[in-house]
Amino acid sequence: MKTETGFATIQNGKIYFEVAGTGKPLLLLHSGIADHRMWAGQCSEFSRHFQVIMPDFRGYGKSSAPDEPFRHCEDIHALIRHLGFTSVNIAGCSLGGKVAIEMAIAYPEMIRRLVLIAPGMAGYEYRDEETLAKDAVLEGLIGSGRREEVADMLVDIWVVGLKRRREAVDSAARTLVREMILDNYASVTDMYPEAPLGFNLMSRLAEIRVPTLVMIGDRDLPDMQAISQLVGDGIRGAKRLLMPGAAHLPNLENPTLFSQSV
């Protein structure tokens, strides 16, 4: 599999991307605790059927850090235009899912199909008490500069997930995510917040009219389960798939079923 790499100059920044395969374009948008490397296992499979594009969001991976207000969806829109595409398929996980939803609302003519994996949702307030308690502990660790402990805790929350022991989750997946967290620490810990959107996502989900699959791992957090339900109910005709034995990044835990489903 031949992979090409490049940078797009967008809003005084450099957005890194990798491209592989031929066919209709498929953007793979990473989560907020990862970068383009989370899709390495899917690239070879998907590039047999699509032209796969894997960017790093601003502040992640090899892309430049923000030095002025930005929005990821505007960066991705500009990247699509830079690559010369008029429309694309998008699969986005967590932060990437949020960006994919924003794209489908802000630039509907550009989107052919959506796969939303544990999508984030701007404006949603977390309610689960256990998650909120863990967030409070994380804030303390971040404030104390305890990077290694922050990475370990984030892996436990998002990769190990609900009611599982760390040893029950593939060690390669845990190791990769921990490495990506530390490599992208400033962005992972929200030191580069996006500029607020000019619209409310939840109130406009019904505007999305493209074929959509909403995927969530059965070991993901209760609030992520709730968001996936809201998104699945809000997008007309959306299908919802519960991935067994997976937490927030099902493509790393069950790659075969994930690829077949997409």
Side-chain angles (χ1 to χ4, degrees):
M1 177 188 64
K2 182 181 179 181
T3 301
E4 298 180 0
T5 65
F7 288 90
T9 300
I10 296 171
Q11 198 178 340
N12 298 321
K14 297 287 188 181
I15 301 299
Y16 175 80
F17 61 90
E18 296 189 358
V19 179
T22 59
K24 294 179 180 179
L26 170 62
L27 261 71
L28 301 180
L29 302 182
H30 63 77
S31 85
I33 56 169
D35 54 40
H36 76 276
R37 288 175 289 175
M38 72 170 281
W39 301 116
Q42 283 68 55
C43 185
S44 59
E45 172 68 22
F46 291 164
S47 63
R48 293 190 296 168
H49 310 281
F50 299 93
Q51 186 172 14
V52 176
I53 305 99
M54 300 177 294
D56 283 331
F57 287 132
R58 190 179 296 262
Y60 286 86
K62 298 179 182 180
S63 294
S64 60
D67 59 4
E68 59 185 352
F70 75 100
R71 296 186 183 98
H72 291 308
C73 69
E74 293 174 355
D75 285 345
I76 297 303
H77 174 256
L79 175 64
I80 292 170
R81 293 173 64 90
H82 170 84
L83 294 171
F85 301 126
T86 56
S87 62
V88 297
N89 304 293
I90 299 182
C93 180
S94 192
L95 170 61
K98 178 188 83 74
V99 175
I101 293 170
E102 293 170 358
M103 289 287 299
I105 294 172
Y107 311 105
E109 72 286 352
M110 275 194 163
I111 310 305
R112 291 175 176 169
R113 287 175 172 78
L114 290 175
V115 179
L116 306 173
I117 307 111
M121 176 64 68
Y124 177 88
E125 294 185 10
Y126 278 49
R127 299 176 176 86
D128 178 61
E129 292 184 0
E130 183 177 348
T131 301
L132 293 172
K134 290 178 179 178
D135 281 346
V137 174
L138 267 175
E139 287 180 11
L141 293 174
I142 293 168
S144 301
R146 295 154 73 176
R147 296 165 59 102
E148 301 286 337
E149 292 177 60
V150 169
D152 289 336
M153 189 168 186
L154 285 171
V155 168
D156 285 343
I157 292 171
W158 295 112
V159 184
V160 177
L162 293 176
K163 299 178 181 179
R164 290 196 292 185
R165 295 177 61 85
R166 187 180 294 178
E167 296 76 18
V169 180
D170 181 69
S171 61
R174 289 188 281 113
T175 299
L176 174 61
V177 175
R178 189 178 190 277
E179 179 181 330
M180 290 189 291
I181 290 169
L182 291 172
D183 287 348
N184 300 289
Y185 190 80
S187 292
V188 169
T189 54
D190 293 327
M191 294 182 187
Y192 304 128
E194 290 183 80
L197 279 172
F199 56 86
N200 180 280
L201 281 185
M202 286 185 283
S203 68
R204 295 183 61 178
L205 290 173
E207 297 177 25
I208 299 175
R209 300 297 180 90
V210 298
T212 301
L213 172 64
V214 182
M215 187 184 300
I216 187 80
D218 65 355
R219 301 293 181 170
D220 209 337
L221 299 180
D223 283 300
M224 298 310 303
Q225 303 281 351
I227 292 171
S228 73
Q229 188 70 54
L230 285 171
V231 172
D233 291 343
I235 299 175
R236 183 179 302 178
K239 297 181 180 180
R240 189 168 182 265
L241 175 64
L242 187 66
M243 292 282 285
H248 199 57
L249 306 175
N251 67 302
L252 295 180
E253 290 201 71
N254 198 335
T256 301
L257 179 57
F258 178 87
S259 296
Q260 290 172 348
S261 301
V262 172

